[in-house]
Amino acid sequence: MTGKRPLHWIIEEGICHISLFLLTVIPITDSLLRLFLRSRFPAAPALTAHLLLALGLASGMITTRRGDHLSIGLPQYIGSEKIKGRLSAAGALVSVFFVTIFAWCSVSFIRVGLYPMQMVGFIPDRLIALVMPLGYAVMAFRFARQAFASGAKAALCVSAAVLGTVCSLPAIFKFIWGIDLPDFAWTLSDGFRFAADWIRAPAIAALAAAALIGTPLFVIIGGMALLLLQGSWGEIDIVANQVYTALTQNNLIAIPLFTLAGFILSESRAGERLVETFKSFFGWIPGGMIVVTVILCAFFTSFTGASGVTILAMGGILLTVLKDYPEKFAIGLLTASGSIGLLFPPSLPILLVGAATRTNTAHLFLGGILPGLVLVAAMIVFGITVSVRGHIQIIPFSLKKAAQGLRGSFLEILLPVFLITGYFTGLFSLVEVGAAAVIYVFIVEVVIYREISLKGMAGVFSKAVPIIGGVLSILALAQALSYYIVDSRAPEYFARWMQSAISSKWVFLLILNLALLVTGCLIDIFSAIMIILPLLSPLGEAYGINPVHLGIIFLINMEAGFLTPPVGLNLFLASYHFRRPFAETSRNVLPFLAIQLAVVLIVTYLPQLSLLLTRLY
């Protein structure tokens, strides 16, 4: 972009960058004070939690401005630009309507849900929470601009915001009068609840259709939460309450920190150094380049938590590494390997599974290691078989090159060892491990190797923010939908019905796998964890499935779902990145999908793989 950047862009980006900086510095300072001086950073947990709230809304504004919110995005494959524009405008208008309601709900929540004298350090809690209505109002305005740019008339954009405001009247009444409403306000609020109860089934079906035309998933999830809560005669500002609750949870702070660490690695030459190192160690083995590709993909995905980032960041480098293989095979392998690292620490989805199910995160980390290794081994064995049959040339082993490669990438290789040791020995908490990861890779890539300048770090932050904003926006609204699901006791009723219909644990596991594969096709992993997993936890308990085993089954199915046509996420990303038709990419990945499905069954029916290491900790 050329020319002077608007001041409000600079402010919102500044909020994100400062929040990320403080979220790194405060936990590390707190841990050093604790370890060496037996002291603590004043109000560290509350400060970091509210910094996460500010980061979540500010990054959501930036993600909206850039049009990078997570969505199914089917319209991009429609040939007609006219139809594509209309669908995009419709999705943006839906977003204007619901995000306007989120903004008004946030105003009501601050008025009613937060005490005037509640402080975070020396800052009033209400002052920090103002980022919620401000953030959602800005997002609504930007969605309106996107709708207008896509061909919607200005009157339609304004009407969507006005209609959202009208539907927010129950929240506006609470903002004006608090909980002691006048009679007419009670009557009108009850009328809205009655209307929501009457229309919620067709409205939710309409939201599902809106998801297919590219409406951001956080809008769809939040819209469903609003309809279901109000239709069950609840208060719509519960949605804002749950957004606040989700974005002030300390255990979620690790998500932006590990994401930032992953982006620093991907923007440096760490990938190239690691490629050369692993080539020198494994290139002499038939299929050695397959080993290099799979291990590196697992390494990067375990830190970024997003398989798409690995495909986009490492795809070009690794496609060159696989130049001796048929192109279709190489693209299929890279597409399939993008999500393998989700089972290895410090995987972000594992952190979320722990938070969503209240399962010991350390046990989940340990539980994912053996299944992850089995999946890696299966991919490598298949690659070696293809290499031997195709007479792929090997690289003679050179001790000198191996030593040079190891010396060049030793600090990156040491990173997971350092983090895992710090966490499992109890030296660092999970948030402190995330902060340590950022500081470690900063020192290595910026200070030691000088591959990223201090000025260039602003660019790294800017690339990480849309991912952070997309994920946190979804998690915040998914918390509201999860609240409704749990409060309605739907998981308990569903568990009783399932037990009466299916008595066999093994049949249930097979049906569970099929359902999760479909889920992985249609929903991003973060939404699925927060919405679907709470439904499954009581079922797992009813059938005697260990929570760690259930969590690993869930994640490995989601990995396979990313590759399952017709809408697997990795298929879209690989098709875009490698500039190949979607149908061709889907065909290329089928052999690797078959391997992953076989491993899914092994992990499902051999719980010892997920539970063996948990007995050691």
Side-chain angles (χ1 to χ4, degrees):
M1 175 175 182
T2 59
K4 191 175 180 181
R5 298 165 72 246
L7 178 62
H8 57 279
W9 288 19
I10 297 172
I11 291 172
E12 62 195 16
E13 288 172 8
I15 291 171
C16 289
H17 295 180
I18 292 169
S19 296
L20 282 169
F21 174 76
L22 292 177
L23 284 172
T24 302
V25 171
I26 292 175
I28 283 297
T29 304
D30 187 50
S31 65
L32 292 175
L33 288 173
R34 186 186 73 246
L35 291 172
F36 295 108
L37 299 178
R38 295 185 180 181
S39 180
R40 302 302 295 262
F41 191 99
L47 281 173
T48 52
H50 285 77
L51 282 168
L52 181 67
L53 177 68
L55 174 64
L57 273 298
S59 61
M61 288 189 279
I62 294 171
T63 307
T64 305
R65 186 223 304 166
R66 297 182 184 177
D68 285 338
H69 276 292
L70 291 171
S71 62
I72 294 177
L74 293 181
Q76 64 181 307
Y77 296 97
I78 295 174
S80 170
E81 290 298 324
K82 186 176 181 181
I83 295 175
K84 191 186 299 184
R86 287 180 177 177
L87 292 177
S88 178
L93 289 171
V94 171
S95 301
V96 173
F97 171 73
F98 281 109
V99 177
T100 299
I101 300 177
F102 301 158
W104 283 115
C105 287
S106 300
V107 171
S108 172
F109 165 70
I110 293 171
R111 163 79 164 81
V112 177
L114 297 177
Y115 295 110
M117 300 307 295
Q118 193 171 325
M119 307 290 284
V120 179
F122 60 89
I123 305 170
D125 196 0
R126 281 183 168 182
L127 182 62
I128 300 174
L130 284 173
V131 73
M132 292 172 60
L134 177 63
Y136 284 127
V138 170
M139 289 185 221
F141 176 74
R142 286 176 175 168
F143 280 125
R145 290 189 63 179
Q146 290 170 17
F148 182 73
S150 298
K153 293 184 183 298
L156 274 177
C157 301
V158 173
S159 297
V162 171
L163 185 59
T165 300
V166 170
C167 291
S168 303
L169 282 175
I172 295 172
F173 291 155
K174 288 179 71 175
F175 169 68
I176 297 171
W177 289 291
I179 57 174
D180 189 18
L181 300 181
D183 291 341
F184 85 92
W186 278 116
T187 302
L188 274 175
S189 297
D190 285 347
F192 278 105
R193 294 186 185 100
F194 178 80
D197 184 29
W198 188 68
I199 68 163
R200 61 178 169 176
I204 287 173
L207 277 172
L212 295 177
I213 65 171
T215 305
L217 290 175
F218 87 95
V219 175
I220 301 299
I221 292 166
M224 288 184 176
L226 283 169
L227 285 164
L228 291 169
L229 283 165
Q230 193 169 43
S232 59
W233 294 78
E235 302 289 342
I236 58 172
D237 53 2
I238 289 175
V239 169
N241 184 319
Q242 292 303 305
V243 167
Y244 178 86
T245 300
L247 294 182
T248 53
Q249 289 185 54
N250 275 285
N251 56 359
L252 293 187
I253 296 171
I255 290 175
L257 293 177
F258 282 122
T259 302
L260 179 59
F263 269 90
I264 295 173
L265 284 172
S266 66
E267 291 299 309
S268 69
R269 295 178 59 197
E272 296 175 27
R273 286 195 299 275
L274 288 166
V275 165
E276 292 303 316
T277 300
F278 286 115
K279 276 175 68 176
S280 64
F281 273 94
F282 298 108
W284 61 275
I285 304 171
M289 296 302 99
I290 306 292
V291 176
V292 172
T293 299
V294 173
I295 291 177
L296 283 178
C297 285
F299 176 84
F300 273 88
T301 305
S302 70
F303 280 94
T304 62
S307 58
V309 173
T310 301
I311 292 172
L312 298 176
M314 297 296 295
I317 299 172
L318 293 175
L319 190 61
T320 304
V321 169
L322 297 170
K323 63 182 184 298
D324 293 332
Y325 291 84
E327 186 182 73
K328 292 181 179 180
F329 173 86
I331 290 176
L333 174 66
L334 290 170
T335 305
S337 300
S339 57
I340 284 180
L342 295 181
L343 290 175
F344 294 111
S347 163
L348 303 186
I350 289 182
L351 300 180
L352 286 178
V353 169
T357 62
R358 290 182 168 81
T359 303
N360 187 306
T361 305
H363 283 176
L364 284 167
F365 278 146
L366 291 170
I369 290 174
L370 290 182
L373 290 175
V374 170
L375 186 54
V376 167
M379 299 282 282
I380 288 173
V381 168
F382 178 68
I384 291 175
T385 303
V386 171
S387 300
V388 170
R389 290 180 178 177
H391 303 290
I392 303 298
Q393 186 178 3
I394 62 173
I395 302 171
F397 179 76
S398 168
L399 183 60
K400 182 180 178 180
K401 286 186 177 180
Q404 288 175 343
L406 185 61
R407 186 165 57 250
S409 61
F410 177 74
L411 293 175
E412 282 93 358
I413 293 172
L414 196 63
L415 173 61
V417 177
F418 164 64
L419 297 181
I420 292 169
T421 302
Y423 180 63
F424 283 105
T425 58
L427 190 64
F428 294 133
S429 70
L430 198 55
V431 173
E432 290 166 350
V433 168
V438 173
I439 291 173
Y440 184 96
V441 296
F442 176 83
I443 291 172
V444 170
E445 310 303 339
V446 178
V447 179
I448 297 176
Y449 290 127
R450 298 183 180 179
E451 292 173 350
I452 304 174
S453 65
L454 287 174
K455 186 177 179 181
M457 278 298 297
V460 176
F461 274 57
S462 295
K463 289 185 178 181
V465 160
I467 298 293
I468 293 169
V471 170
L472 292 181
S473 295
I474 283 175
L475 293 180
L477 274 305
Q479 174 83 12
L481 185 54
S482 179
Y483 172 89
Y484 168 79
I485 291 170
V486 173
D487 189 61
S488 66
R489 301 181 67 186
E492 296 175 35
Y493 298 139
F494 186 50
R496 289 177 192 169
W497 175 82
M498 184 65 77
Q499 276 191 299
S500 65
I502 300 170
S503 58
S504 170
K505 172 182 176 180
W506 310 112
V507 174
F508 164 72
L509 285 171
L510 181 61
I511 294 172
L512 176 65
N513 282 332
L514 293 172
L516 289 176
L517 279 175
V518 174
T519 301
C521 288
L522 300 174
I523 306 177
D524 72 281
I525 192 168
F526 303 108
S527 305
I529 290 170
M530 298 302 292
I531 297 169
I532 306 298
L533 203 49
L535 277 171
L536 297 179
S537 293
L539 277 173
E541 185 178 345
Y543 283 96
I545 301 169
N546 186 285
V548 172
H549 185 212
L550 180 67
I552 302 305
I553 290 173
F554 184 91
L555 289 176
I556 199 167
N557 270 284
M558 293 300 293
E559 285 189 31
F562 289 158
L563 307 177
T564 306
V567 287
L569 176 63
N570 281 15
L571 300 177
F572 288 107
L573 291 171
S575 176
Y576 164 78
H577 184 66
F578 297 117
R579 300 182 185 278
R580 294 294 181 274
F582 178 80
E584 179 184 316
T585 304
S586 299
R587 287 194 299 270
N588 295 341
V589 88
L590 288 178
F592 303 98
L593 176 58
I595 291 169
Q596 292 204 14
L597 292 176
V599 175
V600 165
L601 292 176
I602 292 170
V603 171
T604 299
Y605 291 107
L606 288 178
Q608 294 84 354
L609 281 174
S610 302
L611 302 178
L612 180 63
L613 294 181
T614 63
R615 296 165 188 159
L616 305 178
Y617 182 79

